[in-house]
Amino acid sequence: MSTINYKIVLLGNTGVGKTSIFKKLDTGIFHEKNIATIGIEKKTIDVNVEVEKNGKKEKKSFSISLFDTAGQEKFRAITLSYYKGSNGILLLYDITSKQSFENVSTWVDSIKDSVDSEESKYAVILIGNKLDLVTEGKKDREVSEEEAKEACKKFDLIWGGEQSTKDIDFDELKQLFGEYITEVYYKVGEKKEGKQKAQKIGNYKKKKKSCFGMF
């Protein structure tokens, strides 16, 4: 089975949890506080998933070059150069921060300016982060799931659900990441020639909790 290579970029405002998901996917450990990313960090993550192709299920092996990017405006010029050639983008917002959600449109514009072309095919997955802050009563929700789904329709994004990186265990997180990679595959194919329509990701429920994981 040949390996498919994808470039996946984590985007979103500073503080939405990009580095938490980036590190936990690598080590399985959640870090409550992370130093803000300066520029770009990269890790390689191997993922095996089952996809449906021509009415049949097939196993696919992926080698993912995952990039964590700085959310601060002052580093934007650095990160913009890394968008090019992306196959998938995980666009995060904090469900307890209206501003981070309102900036989704700005991030979408940046993606279009830097990645979009007639030759390129890529998938953008919108993810609501920090659900645990709401379920634990630490902060109030400022963005509803309905608002996020409307944004997906408006900007042609894939809805990736609301999650909590803090609560989700490592195996479940890898499974969820595999679902995201599957959606990228359906959109871009193996060599960016795919024309299949990406489908909405179904709600991912923890066995012991009703909440998603948070990035």
Side-chain angles (χ1 to χ4, degrees):
M1 181 170 57
S2 60
T3 300
I4 302 168
N5 298 301
Y6 277 164
K7 177 180 180 180
I8 306 293
V9 180
L10 290 160
L11 292 184
N13 280 21
T14 183
V16 297
K18 301 184 300 295
T19 301
S20 292
I21 179 64
F22 182 75
K23 289 184 176 179
K24 190 165 184 177
L25 276 169
D26 181 46
T27 66
I29 300 172
F30 174 76
H31 297 270
E32 190 75 40
K33 294 183 179 180
N34 292 292
I35 298 174
T37 303
I38 298 176
I40 298 289
E41 290 188 27
K42 175 188 173 183
K43 294 184 185 298
T44 300
I45 298 175
D46 296 326
V47 180
N48 295 313
V49 300
E50 190 173 69
V51 303
E52 188 170 326
K53 188 175 181 180
N54 299 324
K56 297 181 179 179
K57 291 185 177 181
E58 298 181 9
K59 289 184 178 180
K60 296 290 182 180
S61 178
F62 296 87
S63 179
I64 308 299
S65 294
L66 182 65
F67 291 80
D68 183 21
T69 63
Q72 299 100 315
E73 182 67 34
K74 62 182 178 180
F75 297 121
R76 194 66 54 82
I78 299 174
T79 59
L80 280 173
S81 63
Y82 281 85
Y83 295 7
K84 199 168 186 64
S86 297
N87 305 107
I89 294 169
L90 305 184
L91 180 54
L92 278 64
Y93 68 92
D94 178 350
I95 68 171
T96 69
S97 169
K98 191 74 171 181
Q99 182 179 6
S100 71
F101 178 71
E102 291 175 343
N103 282 349
V104 164
S105 60
T106 301
W107 287 108
V108 169
D109 288 340
S110 295
I111 293 167
K112 289 182 177 179
D113 291 341
S114 303
V115 184
D116 211 2
S117 72
E118 291 183 0
E119 295 80 20
S120 67
K121 287 186 179 297
Y122 60 93
V124 182
I125 301 175
L126 183 64
I127 301 166
N129 196 13
K130 301 193 177 182
L131 181 61
D132 58 291
L133 295 181
V134 175
T135 57
E136 294 174 8
K138 294 179 179 179
K139 286 189 177 182
D140 293 329
R141 174 188 286 274
E142 293 188 1
V143 183
S144 69
E145 192 171 357
E146 289 70 25
E147 288 177 284
K149 290 179 179 178
E150 284 300 316
C152 288
K153 293 178 182 178
K154 180 178 180 180
F155 299 117
D156 192 25
L157 312 177
I158 298 169
W159 175 230
E162 297 179 339
Q163 15 259 352
S164 170
T165 308
K166 178 181 177 181
D167 293 335
I168 195 170
D169 69 34
F170 184 53
D171 289 338
E172 291 172 322
L173 179 59
K174 291 278 284 192
Q175 179 184 335
L176 185 57
F177 186 65
E179 290 183 21
Y180 295 149
I181 300 307
T182 301
E183 292 300 320
V184 175
Y185 177 81
Y186 287 148
K187 187 70 176 287
V188 309
E190 297 186 13
K191 295 182 179 179
K192 292 192 174 184
E193 77 277 22
K195 295 183 180 180
Q196 300 179 49
K197 180 67 176 177
Q199 301 296 319
K200 170 187 169 183
I201 297 175
N203 286 340
Y204 178 82
K205 298 181 180 179
K206 290 179 63 61
K207 295 179 180 179
K208 296 182 179 180
K209 296 186 179 182
S210 61
C211 64
F212 259 62
M214 152 206 136
F215 294 171

